Amino acid sequence: MKERRASVMHYQSSGMDKEAIRAALYQHLTYSISKYPMTATDRDWFMSAALAVRDRLVERWMESMQSYYRTDAKRIYYLSLEFLVGRTFSNAMLNLDIYEECKAALFEAGQNIERIAEVEFDAALGNGGLGRLAACFLDSMATLNLPCYGYGIRYEYGMFRQRIEDGCQMEHPDNWLRYGNPWEFSRPEVLYPVQFHGKVLAYQHHDGTTHHHWVDTDTVMAMAYDTPVPGYGGHTVNNMRLWSAKSSRDFDLRYFNQGNYIQAVANKNESENLSKVLYPDDSTEMGRELRLKQQYFFVGASLQDILFRYEKHHGTWDELPDKVAIQLNDTHPAIAVAEMMRLLVDIHHQRWNYAWDLTTRVFSYTNHTLMPEALETWPVSLFENILPRHLEIIYQINHQFLQDVMHRFPGDAELLRRMSIIDESSGRRIRMAHLAIIGSHTVNGVAKLHTELMKSTIFADFERYSPGKIINMTNGVTPRRWLNQANPGLAGLIGSRIGHGWVSDLDQLAQLRKFAEDAAFREEFAAIKRANKIRLADMIHHSLKVQVNPDSLFDIQIKRIHEYKRQLLNMLHVITLYNRIRMGTHPDIVPRTVIIAGKAAPGYAMAKLIIRLINNVADIINHDPQVGDRLKLVFIPNYDVSNAERIVPAADLSEQISTAGTEASGTGNMKLALNGALTIGTLDGANIEIMEEVGRDNIFIFGLTADEVDNLHRQGYNPWDYYHGNAELKLTLDMIASGYFSPDEPQRYQAIVDALLQRGDHYLLLADYASYVACQEKVDALYRDPAQWTRQAILNVAGMGKFSSDRTIREYAEQIWHVKPVTNS
């Protein structure tokens, strides 16, 4: 009888058919949620369904973890301050191939799966491309059966929830954990101390070596929360481990008994601030201190966990590089280089040179920016206060490194200054990118152009010092999330012609090229695009009360708001179109709906001003009866993964218009092209490689090249020449400056115009304006021919095989990590 009961319980928890899922659904509704079906809310049904799906993940998760221990596999540890995973419910069902079974089980319970899925909050663990890339990579590593842990922070409130009030971005807490997170498992037993402040004591050991003790520190405890990450097919389920800050002293009874209730919990509150919010505003000293503490907090906990796991199964440290590969996703976790040295030397008492050899064979570093001002640096004084032992270690790393540089390039003091980890030119700052490069065996860029520019500009000295250390790994996106899940209509159409193998082998999309000439296929493709546009138009009308025409060209720019991404150039074009309509100079203009979404960093005043300008321009255009449906401008607030999944499938035109040489790669360009949008862009980032794959005739390229940008800056760029030389541009800027779009405050946007005309137009908007406007006219001309537009859209989808994150991760595994797949036996 007991055996029969155990068998039934196993069937209910892990069966993949509709009946087993339905039984699990009701079981969780009763025993986990404690509700009757007649009183259950949508959230109750969601939690029950999520737990039923989670049950099916857990068994495979445990099998995957056990297989890694059983085979003593080398593991990848992906350290990232962001993991923008979005919603998990639909993704997990699709990757386990139980979506239809879950849909049927919920339907029999009287529930609609689409409505239930909308209950889930996006996991607010990231901001933009960096975090979304990390999430795609976790998906691909699991799909490719690669043993991997993702390490990050369990932010209680994420970045922020963006609302638009009077045209302005307003930041509100994103309380995504308000109703709990059904996907995570708290691990109160996995707890590590992380130290700050204090002082360092040095003493001589009996063997003559100098040892260091970091004492009198403030300690915060890092507690683990684990989330299963399923690969496509469900064969491998990896782990994302996020750290939450806990106080080492939760409650001070002495203060409480004195009536000082605030002080009684002050230590707890201060400690737990470390995992409250992603990217605190670092325009203040307190904000900068909190951000550095966040970075060390998650790095310190992660490395302790990694070494603990290694040490459990290995008697010496000799095999560490053969069992551990740590990838630094940008400079945020770069302090890991110094922390690994501290753990090996101070805690495990290994000799410096031996520890350094291990460290440099374990780490690799991904760079995500070419802009010197975006390369993270920290004041030495801040390190002295917060991480005094790490400062000593960095000094020693730097000393030994510069000694070697000096011996190899004698007499070049300027080279030593440029390559030093310590920047002496601006108040003594620690260059975290230099620390990451020196402490890693391999450094990679994320697109061909980006990597070449890394080697020829910002890191040219390091390329000269270690030729071949910097390599390229062009980014990719997961087709599971960004086509199979986000665009089921198109995914189904593709599957009906070439099968569904493309979901895990995106190169198979090349088979679609022949269908670009098939009129029936083009008609189906266009109908799916229109249905997606209607869905987005309905959402815009419902949430923003703006009526847009689904037959207009949907012109999309969705990304973080930043001057180099040039949302402002888009606005100059929109205002130009507005003027043309009002003046009647272009009576045959193609109706266009321009949709922009993205968040600005809370302390980035210019980016927030650009958001306000977009909304003010939209208010004028959308209410001008002379314009009507010929032009609409929409700013969709609170851009996140779920909003992206609604916007991307509806896009006709993808705006990738950064100044050439500034965008490392971009992944929005890949998602949009994968869903049949044509790209208008500069020869920047991965746009170049997209052009190579889809064909020069199937993409709209404009503007200066990276070399031309460099030459123009060298020769002396005068934006006034372009202002006076182009009447449409002059009118557009004059309208912004005069208060046409802000009559209640005419000077509101003077700072924007001054940045373009008085302060040098750093990102060359005016230099690229005429080329951009002319290229947009080519867009209009093609859109007037629906059959040809659809043909080129199909060719874009067919050319996107290279841009799967599976390909990217396979290259990382083979060329950087040297990690092999492990399958469950």
Side-chain angles (χ1 to χ4, degrees), residues 56-68 76 91-92 95-96 138-149 227-239 820-825:
R56 283 141 186 82
L57 288 175
V58 166
E59 186 175 86
R60 291 156 182 79
W61 189 23
M62 295 179 71
E63 287 174 359
S64 297
M65 297 299 105
Q66 288 171 3
S67 69
Y68 301 159
I76 305 148
N91 184 68
N95 275 6
L96 290 174
L138 293 188
D139 174 276
S140 285
M141 283 186 260
T143 297
L144 296 173
N145 303 311
L146 293 170
C148 167
Y149 265 69
T227 301
V229 180
Y232 183 68
H235 303 296
T236 294
V237 179
N238 281 327
N239 193 27
K820 297 184 182 301
V822 176
T823 54
N824 300 331
S825 57

Side-chain angles (χ1 to χ4, degrees), residues 162-338:
Q162 181 195 56
R163 294 180 188 160
I164 302 301
E165 300 174 17
D166 191 27
C168 302
Q169 170 180 291
M170 303 301 291
E171 299 98 22
H172 297 267
D174 189 355
N175 192 6
W176 70 286
L177 291 169
R178 178 186 301 134
Y179 300 106
N181 177 7
W183 307 107
E184 68 181 7
F185 292 81
S186 63
R187 306 294 193 195
E189 76 284 4
V190 182
L191 203 64
Y192 294 102
V194 180
Q195 300 166 275
F196 300 101
H197 304 293
K199 61 186 178 183
V200 180
L201 299 179
Y203 67 93
Q204 290 294 316
H205 196 254
H206 62 78
D207 62 2
T209 59
T210 301
H211 285 211
H212 297 84
H213 275 186
W214 187 12
V215 300
D216 299 337
T217 57
D218 297 328
T219 301
V220 176
M221 304 306 294
M223 178 179 145
Y225 286 78
D226 289 348
T227 301
V229 180
Y232 183 68
H235 303 296
T236 294
V237 179
N238 281 327
N239 193 27
M240 179 174 67
R241 175 160 285 181
L242 304 177
W243 301 105
S244 181
K246 306 295 181 183
S247 174
S248 58
R249 300 190 306 277
D250 271 0
F251 189 78
D252 195 319
L253 192 60
R254 178 170 50 102
Y255 284 115
F256 185 85
N257 288 337
Q258 292 172 1
N260 192 343
Y261 306 126
I262 294 175
Q263 189 62 38
V265 294
N267 182 268
K268 171 182 169 65
N269 291 340
E270 183 178 352
S271 297
E272 296 181 0
N273 280 341
L274 285 179
S275 54
K276 289 286 186 191
V277 179
L278 167 69
Y279 294 157
D281 184 355
D282 59 0
S283 61
T284 66
E285 184 65 30
M286 288 183 65
R288 287 188 290 273
E289 179 174 323
L290 178 56
R291 187 162 175 172
L292 177 58
K293 282 184 171 181
Q294 274 189 340
Q295 293 181 5
Y296 177 63
F297 165 74
F298 105 88
V299 162
S302 300
L303 291 195
Q304 289 181 71
D305 197 43
I306 291 167
L307 295 187
F308 173 77
R309 187 175 299 110
Y310 172 85
E311 204 174 14
K312 276 199 305 185
H313 298 277
H314 302 88
T316 73
W317 296 103
D318 293 350
E319 290 186 281
L320 186 68
D322 299 322
K323 301 299 177 183
V324 171
I326 302 176
Q327 188 69 36
L328 306 176
N329 190 26
D330 213 4
T331 54
H332 308 130
I335 189 61
V337 173

Side-chain angles (χ1 to χ4, degrees), residues 71-111:
T71 59
D72 194 20
K74 183 176 185 179
R75 304 182 203 196
I76 305 148
Y77 296 104
Y78 198 84
L79 270 57
S80 180
L81 205 56
E82 298 183 42
F83 287 100
L84 195 56
V85 296
R87 293 170 172 170
T88 299
F89 184 51
S90 295
N91 184 68
M93 288 187 291
L94 288 166
N95 275 6
L96 290 174
D97 196 21
I98 57 171
Y99 184 89
E100 291 302 324
E101 289 78 4
C102 291
K103 181 178 180 178
L106 281 164
F107 180 78
E108 289 186 2
Q111 306 303 315

Side-chain angles (χ1 to χ4, degrees), residues 555 566 568-580 585-586 589 592 653 655 657 680-682 700-703 726-730 732 765-781:
D555 178 350
R566 301 205 295 190
L568 188 53
L569 179 60
N570 194 345
M571 280 304 91
L572 297 182
H573 175 245
V574 168
I575 296 170
T576 299
L577 290 180
Y578 174 62
N579 288 332
R580 288 178 174 181
T585 57
H586 293 67
I589 196 165
R592 184 183 293 239
L653 185 67
E655 298 271 355
I657 59 177
I680 182 169
T682 53
F700 298 99
I701 297 296
F702 75 93
N726 189 309
E728 285 192 309
L729 174 60
K730 182 178 185 300
T732 296
L765 279 70
L766 305 196
D768 275 348
Y769 168 84
S771 176
Y772 180 53
V773 171
C775 196
Q776 290 281 15
E777 291 171 358
K778 295 178 183 177
V779 171
D780 280 1

Side-chain angles (χ1 to χ4, degrees), residues 298-483:
F298 105 88
V299 162
S302 300
L303 291 195
Q304 289 181 71
D305 197 43
I306 291 167
L307 295 187
F308 173 77
R309 187 175 299 110
Y310 172 85
E311 204 174 14
K312 276 199 305 185
H313 298 277
H314 302 88
T316 73
W317 296 103
D318 293 350
E319 290 186 281
L320 186 68
D322 299 322
K323 301 299 177 183
V324 171
I326 302 176
Q327 188 69 36
L328 306 176
N329 190 26
D330 213 4
T331 54
H332 308 130
I335 189 61
V337 173
E339 173 66 359
M340 180 66 84
M341 288 299 292
R342 186 188 74 83
L343 291 172
L344 291 175
V345 173
D346 293 0
I347 306 302
H348 297 287
H349 305 299
Q350 302 304 303
R351 293 185 177 273
W352 177 275
N353 289 341
Y354 176 67
W356 183 243
D357 176 66
L358 294 175
T359 297
T360 55
R361 291 163 58 201
V362 161
F363 285 108
S364 48
Y365 158 57
T366 300
N367 171 270
H368 287 280
T369 183
L370 288 166
M371 294 184 287
E373 65 272 19
L375 292 172
E376 196 167 46
T377 65
W378 293 106
V380 166
S381 58
L382 194 60
F383 260 72
E384 285 176 330
N385 177 33
I386 297 173
L387 301 172
R389 177 57 182 145
H390 295 78
L391 182 60
E392 292 182 350
I393 290 170
I394 290 169
Y395 280 155
Q396 189 168 348
I397 292 170
N398 196 44
H399 173 75
Q400 293 190 351
F401 172 70
L402 293 182
Q403 285 287 108
D404 190 59
V405 174
M406 182 178 67
H407 292 147
R408 292 176 58 181
F409 304 98
D412 195 341
E414 183 62 20
L415 179 66
L416 296 178
R417 184 192 66 77
R418 293 196 305 267
M419 296 186 75
S420 173
I421 298 173
I422 309 300
D423 182 0
E424 306 281 357
S425 64
S426 53
R428 303 196 75 226
R429 301 180 69 88
I430 299 172
R431 297 162 164 154
M432 301 307 287
H434 288 206
L435 177 63
I437 292 170
I438 294 165
S440 297
H441 58 82
T442 307
V443 177
N444 73 277
V446 290
K448 284 181 183 176
L449 176 64
H450 170 231
T451 303
E452 290 308 310
L453 290 173
M454 281 173 63
K455 294 193 284 188
S456 63
T457 58
I458 54 173
F459 299 135
D461 293 326
F462 289 98
E463 173 65 13
R464 179 185 172 202
Y465 175 77
S466 299
K469 184 173 185 174
I470 301 174
I471 65 174
N472 181 55
M473 294 282 136
T474 297
N475 280 343
V477 300
T478 170
R480 271 79 61 185
R481 169 81 63 168
W482 293 110
L483 182 50

Side-chain angles (χ1 to χ4, degrees), residues 143-162:
T143 297
L144 296 173
N145 303 311
L146 293 170
C148 167
Y149 265 69
Y151 278 110
I153 295 179
R154 180 182 181 266
Y155 301 104
E156 189 174 339
Y157 293 105
M159 189 177 183
F160 59 82
R161 179 168 290 274
Q162 181 195 56

Side-chain angles (χ1 to χ4, degrees), residues 494-506:
I494 294 170
S496 72
R497 299 305 200 275
I498 67 171
H500 296 280
W502 61 269
V503 180
S504 55
D505 179 11
L506 204 61

